[in-house]
mmCIF file of all heavy atoms in Angstrom:
data_model
loop_
_atom_site.group_PDB
_atom_site.id
_atom_site.type_symbol
_atom_site.label_atom_id
_atom_site.label_comp_id
_atom_site.label_asym_id
_atom_site.label_seq_id
_atom_site.Cartn_x
_atom_site.Cartn_y
_atom_site.Cartn_z
ATOM 1 N N MET A 1365 6.476 12.239 -25.175
ATOM 2 C CA MET A 1365 7.789 11.985 -24.866
ATOM 3 C C MET A 1365 8.191 12.846 -23.665
ATOM 4 O O MET A 1365 7.853 14.080 -23.624
ATOM 5 C CB MET A 1365 8.633 12.232 -26.058
ATOM 6 C CG MET A 1365 10.097 11.958 -25.857
ATOM 7 S SD MET A 1365 10.986 12.283 -27.399
ATOM 8 C CE MET A 1365 12.095 10.928 -27.417
ATOM 9 N N ALA A 1366 8.928 12.307 -22.689
ATOM 10 C CA ALA A 1366 9.296 13.043 -21.491
ATOM 11 C C ALA A 1366 10.453 14.021 -21.763
ATOM 12 O O ALA A 1366 11.302 13.692 -22.682
ATOM 13 C CB ALA A 1366 9.793 12.106 -20.428
ATOM 14 N N PRO A 1367 10.380 15.211 -21.210
ATOM 15 C CA PRO A 1367 11.546 16.128 -21.476
ATOM 16 C C PRO A 1367 12.821 15.601 -21.014
ATOM 17 O O PRO A 1367 12.872 14.888 -19.988
ATOM 18 C CB PRO A 1367 11.046 17.346 -20.701
ATOM 19 C CG PRO A 1367 9.741 17.128 -20.185
ATOM 20 C CD PRO A 1367 9.417 15.703 -20.322
ATOM 21 N N VAL A 1368 13.839 15.985 -21.663
ATOM 22 C CA VAL A 1368 15.206 15.580 -21.294
ATOM 23 C C VAL A 1368 15.734 16.530 -20.288
ATOM 24 O O VAL A 1368 15.518 17.760 -20.349
ATOM 25 C CB VAL A 1368 16.090 15.559 -22.548
ATOM 26 C CG1 VAL A 1368 17.561 15.227 -22.172
ATOM 27 C CG2 VAL A 1368 15.607 14.613 -23.623
ATOM 28 N N GLY A 1369 16.450 16.066 -19.259
ATOM 29 C CA GLY A 1369 17.013 16.964 -18.280
ATOM 30 C C GLY A 1369 16.560 16.622 -16.834
ATOM 31 O O GLY A 1369 16.840 17.452 -15.931
ATOM 32 N N GLY A 1370 15.897 15.519 -16.699
ATOM 33 C CA GLY A 1370 15.588 15.185 -15.288
ATOM 34 C C GLY A 1370 14.554 15.943 -14.625
ATOM 35 O O GLY A 1370 14.611 16.329 -13.410
ATOM 36 N N THR A 1371 13.504 16.326 -15.323
ATOM 37 C CA THR A 1371 12.401 17.129 -14.783
ATOM 38 C C THR A 1371 11.185 16.257 -14.349
ATOM 39 O O THR A 1371 10.052 16.700 -14.383
ATOM 40 C CB THR A 1371 11.934 18.171 -15.751
ATOM 41 O OG1 THR A 1371 11.517 17.540 -16.938
ATOM 42 C CG2 THR A 1371 13.101 19.206 -16.044
ATOM 43 N N ALA A 1372 11.489 15.018 -13.947
ATOM 44 C CA ALA A 1372 10.399 14.126 -13.552
ATOM 45 C C ALA A 1372 9.717 14.616 -12.277
ATOM 46 O O ALA A 1372 10.399 15.169 -11.382
ATOM 47 C CB ALA A 1372 10.924 12.747 -13.320
ATOM 48 N N VAL A 1373 8.392 14.569 -12.325
ATOM 49 C CA VAL A 1373 7.660 14.922 -11.105
ATOM 50 C C VAL A 1373 7.280 13.740 -10.330
ATOM 51 O O VAL A 1373 6.821 12.758 -10.907
ATOM 52 C CB VAL A 1373 6.368 15.732 -11.511
ATOM 53 C CG1 VAL A 1373 5.570 16.096 -10.350
ATOM 54 C CG2 VAL A 1373 6.787 16.980 -12.356
ATOM 55 N N GLN A 1374 7.443 13.712 -8.984
ATOM 56 C CA GLN A 1374 7.030 12.619 -8.179
ATOM 57 C C GLN A 1374 5.754 12.999 -7.381
ATOM 58 O O GLN A 1374 5.725 14.007 -6.747
ATOM 59 C CB GLN A 1374 8.162 12.237 -7.261
ATOM 60 C CG GLN A 1374 9.316 11.545 -7.987
ATOM 61 C CD GLN A 1374 10.324 11.008 -6.994
ATOM 62 O OE1 GLN A 1374 10.138 11.104 -5.821
ATOM 63 N NE2 GLN A 1374 11.295 10.341 -7.515
ATOM 64 N N ASP A 1375 4.756 12.128 -7.427
ATOM 65 C CA ASP A 1375 3.604 12.312 -6.656
ATOM 66 C C ASP A 1375 3.704 11.354 -5.487
ATOM 67 O O ASP A 1375 3.552 10.150 -5.576
ATOM 68 C CB ASP A 1375 2.372 11.929 -7.500
ATOM 69 C CG ASP A 1375 1.055 12.193 -6.754
ATOM 70 O OD1 ASP A 1375 1.080 12.185 -5.555
ATOM 71 O OD2 ASP A 1375 0.009 12.264 -7.462
ATOM 72 N N HIS A 1376 4.021 11.862 -4.393
ATOM 73 C CA HIS A 1376 4.382 11.072 -3.156
ATOM 74 C C HIS A 1376 3.105 10.295 -2.695
ATOM 75 O O HIS A 1376 3.285 9.134 -2.146
ATOM 76 C CB HIS A 1376 4.979 11.953 -2.075
ATOM 77 C CG HIS A 1376 6.246 12.585 -2.462
ATOM 78 N ND1 HIS A 1376 7.424 11.838 -2.516
ATOM 79 C CD2 HIS A 1376 6.519 13.817 -2.826
ATOM 80 C CE1 HIS A 1376 8.367 12.599 -2.919
ATOM 81 N NE2 HIS A 1376 7.946 13.896 -3.119
ATOM 82 N N VAL A 1377 2.015 10.845 -2.861
ATOM 83 C CA VAL A 1377 0.761 10.155 -2.398
ATOM 84 C C VAL A 1377 0.547 8.915 -3.331
ATOM 85 O O VAL A 1377 0.223 7.898 -2.812
ATOM 86 C CB VAL A 1377 -0.437 11.106 -2.452
ATOM 87 C CG1 VAL A 1377 -1.776 10.308 -2.159
ATOM 88 C CG2 VAL A 1377 -0.275 12.189 -1.392
ATOM 89 N N ALA A 1378 0.696 9.162 -4.596
ATOM 90 C CA ALA A 1378 0.527 7.986 -5.540
ATOM 91 C C ALA A 1378 1.597 6.934 -5.351
ATOM 92 O O ALA A 1378 1.229 5.742 -5.371
ATOM 93 C CB ALA A 1378 0.603 8.527 -6.961
ATOM 94 N N LEU A 1379 2.796 7.378 -5.050
ATOM 95 C CA LEU A 1379 3.805 6.334 -4.794
ATOM 96 C C LEU A 1379 3.546 5.576 -3.489
ATOM 97 O O LEU A 1379 3.717 4.329 -3.427
ATOM 98 C CB LEU A 1379 5.146 7.052 -4.622
ATOM 99 C CG LEU A 1379 5.822 7.597 -5.883
ATOM 100 C CD1 LEU A 1379 7.076 8.416 -5.609
ATOM 101 C CD2 LEU A 1379 6.062 6.562 -6.972
ATOM 102 N N ALA A 1380 2.964 6.191 -2.475
ATOM 103 C CA ALA A 1380 2.635 5.525 -1.195
ATOM 104 C C ALA A 1380 1.468 4.512 -1.462
ATOM 105 O O ALA A 1380 1.455 3.385 -0.996
ATOM 106 C CB ALA A 1380 2.249 6.504 -0.103
ATOM 107 N N GLU A 1381 0.484 4.926 -2.328
ATOM 108 C CA GLU A 1381 -0.608 4.069 -2.609
ATOM 109 C C GLU A 1381 -0.160 2.847 -3.428
ATOM 110 O O GLU A 1381 -0.605 1.713 -3.179
ATOM 111 C CB GLU A 1381 -1.678 4.768 -3.449
ATOM 112 C CG GLU A 1381 -2.450 5.788 -2.587
ATOM 113 C CD GLU A 1381 -3.498 6.615 -3.396
ATOM 114 O OE1 GLU A 1381 -3.607 6.342 -4.661
ATOM 115 O OE2 GLU A 1381 -4.149 7.397 -2.798
ATOM 116 N N ILE A 1382 0.788 3.049 -4.349
ATOM 117 C CA ILE A 1382 1.322 1.999 -5.099
ATOM 118 C C ILE A 1382 2.106 0.946 -4.177
ATOM 119 O O ILE A 1382 1.983 -0.266 -4.343
ATOM 120 C CB ILE A 1382 2.276 2.490 -6.226
ATOM 121 C CG1 ILE A 1382 1.472 3.208 -7.295
ATOM 122 C CG2 ILE A 1382 3.099 1.371 -6.902
ATOM 123 C CD1 ILE A 1382 2.228 4.020 -8.277
ATOM 124 N N GLU A 1383 2.846 1.507 -3.250
ATOM 125 C CA GLU A 1383 3.529 0.664 -2.297
ATOM 126 C C GLU A 1383 2.549 -0.187 -1.470
ATOM 127 O O GLU A 1383 2.777 -1.403 -1.279
ATOM 128 C CB GLU A 1383 4.387 1.488 -1.350
ATOM 129 C CG GLU A 1383 5.246 0.690 -0.369
ATOM 130 C CD GLU A 1383 6.073 1.546 0.536
ATOM 131 O OE1 GLU A 1383 6.317 2.743 0.197
ATOM 132 O OE2 GLU A 1383 6.566 0.961 1.540
ATOM 133 N N LEU A 1384 1.473 0.460 -0.980
ATOM 134 C CA LEU A 1384 0.479 -0.318 -0.192
ATOM 135 C C LEU A 1384 -0.182 -1.373 -1.051
ATOM 136 O O LEU A 1384 -0.454 -2.474 -0.551
ATOM 137 C CB LEU A 1384 -0.493 0.665 0.359
ATOM 138 C CG LEU A 1384 -0.021 1.641 1.549
ATOM 139 C CD1 LEU A 1384 -1.091 2.553 1.908
ATOM 140 C CD2 LEU A 1384 0.434 0.803 2.684
ATOM 141 N N CYS A 1385 -0.497 -1.096 -2.284
ATOM 142 C CA CYS A 1385 -1.117 -2.025 -3.197
ATOM 143 C C CYS A 1385 -0.170 -3.257 -3.348
ATOM 144 O O CYS A 1385 -0.579 -4.429 -3.416
ATOM 145 C CB CYS A 1385 -1.421 -1.442 -4.533
ATOM 146 S SG CYS A 1385 -2.864 -0.401 -4.520
ATOM 147 N N GLY A 1386 1.100 -2.989 -3.514
ATOM 148 C CA GLY A 1386 2.127 -4.047 -3.651
ATOM 149 C C GLY A 1386 2.142 -4.912 -2.398
ATOM 150 O O GLY A 1386 2.225 -6.132 -2.513
ATOM 151 N N GLU A 1387 2.096 -4.258 -1.232
ATOM 152 C CA GLU A 1387 2.122 -5.074 -0.013
ATOM 153 C C GLU A 1387 0.858 -5.934 0.112
ATOM 154 O O GLU A 1387 0.945 -6.967 0.572
ATOM 155 C CB GLU A 1387 2.232 -4.086 1.194
ATOM 156 C CG GLU A 1387 3.644 -3.405 1.304
ATOM 157 C CD GLU A 1387 3.719 -2.468 2.407
ATOM 158 O OE1 GLU A 1387 2.986 -2.530 3.385
ATOM 159 O OE2 GLU A 1387 4.651 -1.532 2.358
ATOM 160 N N LEU A 1388 -0.272 -5.415 -0.318
ATOM 161 C CA LEU A 1388 -1.504 -6.184 -0.304
ATOM 162 C C LEU A 1388 -1.393 -7.346 -1.260
ATOM 163 O O LEU A 1388 -1.843 -8.475 -0.889
ATOM 164 C CB LEU A 1388 -2.761 -5.329 -0.667
ATOM 165 C CG LEU A 1388 -3.436 -4.674 0.401
ATOM 166 C CD1 LEU A 1388 -4.537 -3.808 -0.200
ATOM 167 C CD2 LEU A 1388 -4.014 -5.599 1.428
ATOM 168 N N ILE A 1389 -0.852 -7.165 -2.417
ATOM 169 C CA ILE A 1389 -0.667 -8.242 -3.400
ATOM 170 C C ILE A 1389 0.257 -9.317 -2.868
ATOM 171 O O ILE A 1389 -0.010 -10.481 -2.969
ATOM 172 C CB ILE A 1389 -0.122 -7.660 -4.722
ATOM 173 C CG1 ILE A 1389 -1.194 -6.788 -5.448
ATOM 174 C CG2 ILE A 1389 0.305 -8.816 -5.673
ATOM 175 C CD1 ILE A 1389 -0.751 -6.030 -6.597
ATOM 176 N N ILE A 1390 1.311 -8.917 -2.161
ATOM 177 C CA ILE A 1390 2.227 -9.891 -1.643
ATOM 178 C C ILE A 1390 1.534 -10.655 -0.513
ATOM 179 O O ILE A 1390 1.674 -11.921 -0.427
ATOM 180 C CB ILE A 1390 3.534 -9.171 -1.068
ATOM 181 C CG1 ILE A 1390 4.336 -8.624 -2.291
ATOM 182 C CG2 ILE A 1390 4.332 -10.144 -0.178
ATOM 183 C CD1 ILE A 1390 5.435 -7.692 -1.833
ATOM 184 N N ALA A 1391 0.808 -9.969 0.376
ATOM 185 C CA ALA A 1391 0.158 -10.632 1.478
ATOM 186 C C ALA A 1391 -0.917 -11.651 0.891
ATOM 187 O O ALA A 1391 -1.031 -12.729 1.445
ATOM 188 C CB ALA A 1391 -0.482 -9.698 2.377
ATOM 189 N N ALA A 1392 -1.685 -11.213 -0.108
ATOM 190 C CA ALA A 1392 -2.713 -12.034 -0.700
ATOM 191 C C ALA A 1392 -2.083 -13.323 -1.356
ATOM 192 O O ALA A 1392 -2.671 -14.377 -1.226
ATOM 193 C CB ALA A 1392 -3.510 -11.251 -1.639
ATOM 194 N N SER A 1393 -0.941 -13.120 -2.000
ATOM 195 C CA SER A 1393 -0.356 -14.235 -2.652
ATOM 196 C C SER A 1393 0.207 -15.275 -1.695
ATOM 197 O O SER A 1393 0.365 -16.435 -1.907
ATOM 198 C CB SER A 1393 0.708 -13.840 -3.675
ATOM 199 O OG SER A 1393 1.818 -13.225 -3.040
ATOM 200 N N ALA A 1394 0.637 -14.745 -0.506
ATOM 201 C CA ALA A 1394 1.219 -15.636 0.514
ATOM 202 C C ALA A 1394 0.191 -16.326 1.301
ATOM 203 O O ALA A 1394 0.448 -17.390 1.987
ATOM 204 C CB ALA A 1394 2.156 -14.867 1.397
ATOM 205 N N ALA A 1395 -1.058 -15.849 1.330
ATOM 206 C CA ALA A 1395 -2.138 -16.373 2.151
ATOM 207 C C ALA A 1395 -2.756 -17.651 1.503
ATOM 208 O O ALA A 1395 -2.788 -17.777 0.272
ATOM 209 C CB ALA A 1395 -3.263 -15.372 2.314
ATOM 210 N N GLU A 1396 -3.127 -18.550 2.360
ATOM 211 C CA GLU A 1396 -3.697 -19.776 1.822
ATOM 212 C C GLU A 1396 -5.209 -19.553 1.491
ATOM 213 O O GLU A 1396 -5.824 -20.265 0.697
ATOM 214 C CB GLU A 1396 -3.626 -20.917 2.928
ATOM 215 C CG GLU A 1396 -2.231 -21.390 3.087
ATOM 216 C CD GLU A 1396 -2.076 -22.522 4.101
ATOM 217 O OE1 GLU A 1396 -3.115 -23.121 4.464
ATOM 218 O OE2 GLU A 1396 -1.010 -22.697 4.596
ATOM 219 N N ASP A 1397 -5.838 -18.584 2.100
ATOM 220 C CA ASP A 1397 -7.241 -18.316 1.917
ATOM 221 C C ASP A 1397 -7.353 -16.801 1.711
ATOM 222 O O ASP A 1397 -6.413 -16.042 1.770
ATOM 223 C CB ASP A 1397 -8.067 -18.787 3.144
ATOM 224 C CG ASP A 1397 -9.517 -19.020 2.765
ATOM 225 O OD1 ASP A 1397 -9.921 -18.917 1.613
ATOM 226 O OD2 ASP A 1397 -10.343 -19.158 3.745
ATOM 227 N N ARG A 1398 -8.572 -16.304 1.600
ATOM 228 C CA ARG A 1398 -8.819 -14.834 1.462
ATOM 229 C C ARG A 1398 -8.360 -14.171 2.652
ATOM 230 O O ARG A 1398 -8.407 -14.653 3.762
ATOM 231 C CB ARG A 1398 -10.298 -14.631 1.267
ATOM 232 C CG ARG A 1398 -10.845 -15.184 -0.040
ATOM 233 C CD ARG A 1398 -12.364 -14.897 -0.147
ATOM 234 N NE ARG A 1398 -12.512 -13.505 -0.542
ATOM 235 C CZ ARG A 1398 -13.614 -13.032 -1.085
ATOM 236 N NH1 ARG A 1398 -14.595 -13.802 -1.221
ATOM 237 N NH2 ARG A 1398 -13.679 -11.752 -1.370
ATOM 238 N N LEU A 1399 -7.825 -12.941 2.514
ATOM 239 C CA LEU A 1399 -7.428 -12.136 3.632
ATOM 240 C C LEU A 1399 -8.619 -11.619 4.343
ATOM 241 O O LEU A 1399 -9.593 -11.216 3.807
ATOM 242 C CB LEU A 1399 -6.571 -10.908 3.093
ATOM 243 C CG LEU A 1399 -5.249 -11.183 2.475
ATOM 244 C CD1 LEU A 1399 -4.640 -9.878 1.977
ATOM 245 C CD2 LEU A 1399 -4.282 -11.852 3.466
ATOM 246 N N SER A 1400 -8.562 -11.676 5.689
ATOM 247 C CA SER A 1400 -9.574 -11.175 6.512
ATOM 248 C C SER A 1400 -9.461 -9.645 6.546
ATOM 249 O O SER A 1400 -8.454 -9.076 6.206
ATOM 250 C CB SER A 1400 -9.525 -11.702 7.905
ATOM 251 O OG SER A 1400 -8.356 -11.213 8.517
ATOM 252 N N LEU A 1401 -10.594 -9.037 6.949
ATOM 253 C CA LEU A 1401 -10.489 -7.517 7.028
ATOM 254 C C LEU A 1401 -9.377 -7.126 8.105
ATOM 255 O O LEU A 1401 -8.725 -6.095 7.840
ATOM 256 C CB LEU A 1401 -11.809 -6.974 7.514
ATOM 257 C CG LEU A 1401 -12.928 -7.129 6.457
ATOM 258 C CD1 LEU A 1401 -14.343 -6.614 7.099
ATOM 259 C CD2 LEU A 1401 -12.642 -6.419 5.260
ATOM 260 N N GLU A 1402 -9.199 -7.899 9.084
ATOM 261 C CA GLU A 1402 -8.169 -7.604 10.086
ATOM 262 C C GLU A 1402 -6.827 -7.669 9.491
ATOM 263 O O GLU A 1402 -5.930 -6.901 9.702
ATOM 264 C CB GLU A 1402 -8.308 -8.443 11.308
ATOM 265 C CG GLU A 1402 -9.481 -8.289 12.169
ATOM 266 C CD GLU A 1402 -10.763 -8.932 11.557
ATOM 267 O OE1 GLU A 1402 -10.669 -9.840 10.753
ATOM 268 O OE2 GLU A 1402 -11.863 -8.466 11.925
ATOM 269 N N SER A 1403 -6.595 -8.738 8.620
ATOM 270 C CA SER A 1403 -5.321 -8.885 7.940
ATOM 271 C C SER A 1403 -5.068 -7.735 6.945
ATOM 272 O O SER A 1403 -3.937 -7.233 6.900
ATOM 273 C CB SER A 1403 -5.313 -10.197 7.163
ATOM 274 O OG SER A 1403 -5.402 -11.345 8.068
ATOM 275 N N ILE A 1404 -6.098 -7.324 6.290
ATOM 276 C CA ILE A 1404 -5.923 -6.190 5.346
ATOM 277 C C ILE A 1404 -5.587 -4.871 6.090
ATOM 278 O O ILE A 1404 -4.664 -4.178 5.682
ATOM 279 C CB ILE A 1404 -7.223 -6.009 4.514
ATOM 280 C CG1 ILE A 1404 -7.444 -7.181 3.560
ATOM 281 C CG2 ILE A 1404 -7.202 -4.731 3.702
ATOM 282 C CD1 ILE A 1404 -8.764 -7.202 2.897
ATOM 283 N N ASP A 1405 -6.282 -4.706 7.206
ATOM 284 C CA ASP A 1405 -5.962 -3.505 7.997
ATOM 285 C C ASP A 1405 -4.551 -3.554 8.558
ATOM 286 O O ASP A 1405 -3.824 -2.592 8.602
ATOM 287 C CB ASP A 1405 -7.021 -3.404 9.275
ATOM 288 C CG ASP A 1405 -8.283 -2.962 8.861
ATOM 289 O OD1 ASP A 1405 -8.451 -2.562 7.737
ATOM 290 O OD2 ASP A 1405 -9.215 -3.032 9.678
ATOM 291 N N GLU A 1406 -4.034 -4.756 8.912
ATOM 292 C CA GLU A 1406 -2.674 -4.939 9.352
ATOM 293 C C GLU A 1406 -1.700 -4.567 8.294
ATOM 294 O O GLU A 1406 -0.695 -3.909 8.543
ATOM 295 C CB GLU A 1406 -2.503 -6.394 9.870
ATOM 296 C CG GLU A 1406 -1.110 -6.604 10.523
ATOM 297 C CD GLU A 1406 -0.977 -8.008 11.054
ATOM 298 O OE1 GLU A 1406 -1.943 -8.572 11.578
ATOM 299 O OE2 GLU A 1406 0.122 -8.601 10.896
ATOM 300 N N VAL A 1407 -1.886 -5.089 7.122
ATOM 301 C CA VAL A 1407 -1.063 -4.906 5.987
ATOM 302 C C VAL A 1407 -1.005 -3.366 5.670
ATOM 303 O O VAL A 1407 0.059 -2.800 5.324
ATOM 304 C CB VAL A 1407 -1.478 -5.663 4.742
ATOM 305 C CG1 VAL A 1407 -0.650 -5.218 3.473
ATOM 306 C CG2 VAL A 1407 -1.314 -7.191 4.977
ATOM 307 N N LEU A 1408 -2.209 -2.719 5.665
ATOM 308 C CA LEU A 1408 -2.256 -1.325 5.351
ATOM 309 C C LEU A 1408 -1.947 -0.393 6.531
ATOM 310 O O LEU A 1408 -1.976 0.830 6.394
ATOM 311 C CB LEU A 1408 -3.663 -0.986 4.852
ATOM 312 C CG LEU A 1408 -4.103 -1.676 3.566
ATOM 313 C CD1 LEU A 1408 -5.522 -1.328 3.193
ATOM 314 C CD2 LEU A 1408 -3.148 -1.329 2.455
ATOM 315 N N ARG A 1409 -1.600 -1.005 7.674
ATOM 316 C CA ARG A 1409 -1.301 -0.246 8.887
ATOM 317 C C ARG A 1409 -2.407 0.700 9.242
ATOM 318 O O ARG A 1409 -2.112 1.821 9.703
ATOM 319 C CB ARG A 1409 0.111 0.454 8.659
ATOM 320 C CG ARG A 1409 1.265 -0.537 8.450
ATOM 321 C CD ARG A 1409 2.542 0.192 8.263
ATOM 322 N NE ARG A 1409 2.728 1.021 7.166
ATOM 323 C CZ ARG A 1409 3.143 0.506 5.931
ATOM 324 N NH1 ARG A 1409 3.497 -0.672 5.852
ATOM 325 N NH2 ARG A 1409 3.347 1.415 4.940
ATOM 326 N N VAL A 1410 -3.636 0.296 9.160
ATOM 327 C CA VAL A 1410 -4.718 1.093 9.523
ATOM 328 C C VAL A 1410 -4.777 1.436 10.997
ATOM 329 O O VAL A 1410 -5.080 2.543 11.410
ATOM 330 C CB VAL A 1410 -6.114 0.487 9.063
ATOM 331 C CG1 VAL A 1410 -7.275 1.239 9.574
ATOM 332 C CG2 VAL A 1410 -6.142 0.366 7.576
ATOM 333 N N SER A 1411 -4.532 0.471 11.851
ATOM 334 C CA SER A 1411 -4.566 0.715 13.305
ATOM 335 C C SER A 1411 -3.502 1.721 13.695
ATOM 336 O O SER A 1411 -3.700 2.458 14.627
ATOM 337 C CB SER A 1411 -4.370 -0.653 14.031
ATOM 338 O OG SER A 1411 -3.131 -1.243 13.717
ATOM 339 N N GLU A 1412 -2.398 1.740 13.042
ATOM 340 C CA GLU A 1412 -1.326 2.733 13.334
ATOM 341 C C GLU A 1412 -1.828 4.096 13.001
ATOM 342 O O GLU A 1412 -1.545 5.062 13.827
ATOM 343 C CB GLU A 1412 -0.041 2.435 12.538
ATOM 344 C CG GLU A 1412 0.689 1.179 12.961
ATOM 345 C CD GLU A 1412 1.866 0.868 12.060
ATOM 346 O OE1 GLU A 1412 2.298 1.720 11.304
ATOM 347 O OE2 GLU A 1412 2.385 -0.238 12.142
ATOM 348 N N GLU A 1413 -2.545 4.246 11.911
ATOM 349 C CA GLU A 1413 -3.080 5.569 11.531
ATOM 350 C C GLU A 1413 -4.125 6.051 12.554
ATOM 351 O O GLU A 1413 -4.155 7.154 12.927
ATOM 352 C CB GLU A 1413 -3.740 5.502 10.178
ATOM 353 C CG GLU A 1413 -2.711 5.353 9.022
ATOM 354 C CD GLU A 1413 -1.778 6.512 8.918
ATOM 355 O OE1 GLU A 1413 -2.265 7.638 8.968
ATOM 356 O OE2 GLU A 1413 -0.622 6.324 8.636
ATOM 357 N N ARG A 1414 -4.911 5.133 13.040
ATOM 358 C CA ARG A 1414 -5.971 5.487 14.020
ATOM 359 C C ARG A 1414 -5.378 5.871 15.354
ATOM 360 O O ARG A 1414 -5.931 6.699 16.070
ATOM 361 C CB ARG A 1414 -6.982 4.334 14.199
ATOM 362 C CG ARG A 1414 -7.884 4.062 13.001
ATOM 363 C CD ARG A 1414 -8.847 2.943 13.263
ATOM 364 N NE ARG A 1414 -9.576 2.663 12.069
ATOM 365 C CZ ARG A 1414 -10.157 1.596 11.769
ATOM 366 N NH1 ARG A 1414 -10.035 0.558 12.665
ATOM 367 N NH2 ARG A 1414 -10.797 1.412 10.676
ATOM 368 N N ALA A 1415 -4.249 5.205 15.702
ATOM 369 C CA ALA A 1415 -3.555 5.566 16.995
ATOM 370 C C ALA A 1415 -3.015 6.969 16.951
ATOM 371 O O ALA A 1415 -2.882 7.622 18.011
ATOM 372 C CB ALA A 1415 -2.473 4.451 17.258
ATOM 373 N N ASP A 1416 -2.550 7.401 15.773
ATOM 374 C CA ASP A 1416 -1.982 8.758 15.597
ATOM 375 C C ASP A 1416 -3.058 9.774 15.750
ATOM 376 O O ASP A 1416 -3.341 10.598 16.278
ATOM 377 C CB ASP A 1416 -1.297 8.947 14.309
ATOM 378 C CG ASP A 1416 -0.052 8.088 14.167
ATOM 379 O OD1 ASP A 1416 0.432 7.605 15.185
ATOM 380 O OD2 ASP A 1416 0.388 7.886 13.008
#
């Protein structure tokens, strides 16, 4: 049972990963075929990370 008093801990890395997984699920469900590697990279913003 979680302690009372608002002592919840947030794992920002885990939350970011969950958000990216959600974005992948949305993209995959909207696609007519399998997502290409380029599409996956675009959804995950991989090229933006490489540019930084």
Side-chain angles (χ1 to χ4, degrees):
M1365 183 178 221
V1368 179
T1371 59
V1373 176
Q1374 288 189 359
D1375 184 340
H1376 298 286
V1377 173
L1379 292 174
E1381 289 178 0
I1382 292 167
E1383 182 179 344
L1384 290 174
C1385 285
E1387 290 178 21
L1388 270 178
I1389 291 168
I1390 292 168
S1393 66
E1396 292 182 15
D1397 203 8
R1398 295 179 76 162
L1399 292 176
S1400 66
L1401 293 178
E1402 292 80 18
S1403 297
I1404 293 171
D1405 285 350
E1406 184 178 322
V1407 170
L1408 297 177
R1409 298 183 291 271
V1410 171
S1411 61
E1412 291 176 13
E1413 291 294 322
R1414 289 183 185 154
D1416 291 343

